[in-house]
Amino acid sequence: MATGSCLCGGVRYEVEGPMGPTFGCHCSQCRKTSGNFVTAFFAPRDGVTIQGEVRWYQSSVTGRRGFCPTCGSQMFWDGGHPDLEIHAGSLDGDAPKLAYHIYCADKAGFYRITDGLPQFAAEAEDGDAQA
Ligand SMILES: [Zn+2]
Ligand SMILES: [Zn+2]
């Protein structure tokens, strides 16, 4: 079992069950909301227990972002799927290894992706990998 929290500790969560590989999301929403790109992983919603008040921001038609209303730490993205997306850096311990990058077409120009991992223009599922 893995545990995580926001910066102030007002929100704590536990993750039981499998945690997917960590990916980097380079979309403009993640950039705006975090100040950089976001690293996150998916875990089955049924295995995630959240304590404390999470504020949810509906950031798109299909997705909402969960953060601590006190310290502003972002921890979750909820796309209405069976799996909940958890921001890797909010874990207390280490996260699954970074495995790929998504929404690279929207990446800002001020940094480079140099780790050699697969890069997808949009979602990873679309098979639109960039060499
Ligand atoms: Zn907090
Ligand atoms: Zn994103």
Side-chain angles (χ1 to χ4, degrees), residues 25-31 38 65 102-103:
C25 184
H26 302 266
C27 79
S28 59
Q29 288 197 1
C30 283
R31 184 166 64 250
V38 159
R65 294 167 179 272
I102 63 173
Y103 285 99

Side-chain angles (χ1 to χ4, degrees), residues 21-109:
T22 296
F23 57 88
C25 184
H26 302 266
C27 79
S28 59
Q29 288 197 1
C30 283
R31 184 166 64 250
K32 282 287 184 182
T33 197
S34 74
N36 201 351
F37 66 93
V38 159
T39 52
F41 59 90
F42 282 101
R45 182 188 304 270
D46 292 347
V48 181
T49 305
I50 301 172
Q51 293 179 319
E53 181 195 353
V54 175
R55 186 165 298 169
W56 294 94
Y57 171 67
Q58 192 77 36
S59 54
S60 69
V61 175
T62 56
R64 58 183 191 150
R65 294 167 179 272
F67 61 96
C68 172
T70 300
C71 70
S73 298
Q74 301 163 49
M75 291 162 280
F76 311 109
W77 181 82
D78 179 3
H81 309 298
D83 288 353
L84 187 66
E85 183 182 309
I86 300 174
H87 286 208
S90 67
L91 284 172
D92 296 326
D94 204 4
K97 287 281 178 275
L98 190 67
Y100 59 94
H101 299 274
I102 63 173
Y103 285 99
C104 296
D106 300 330
K107 186 183 83 60

Side-chain angles (χ1 to χ4, degrees), residues 107-112:
K107 186 183 83 60
F110 68 86
Y111 64 93
R112 295 178 186 163

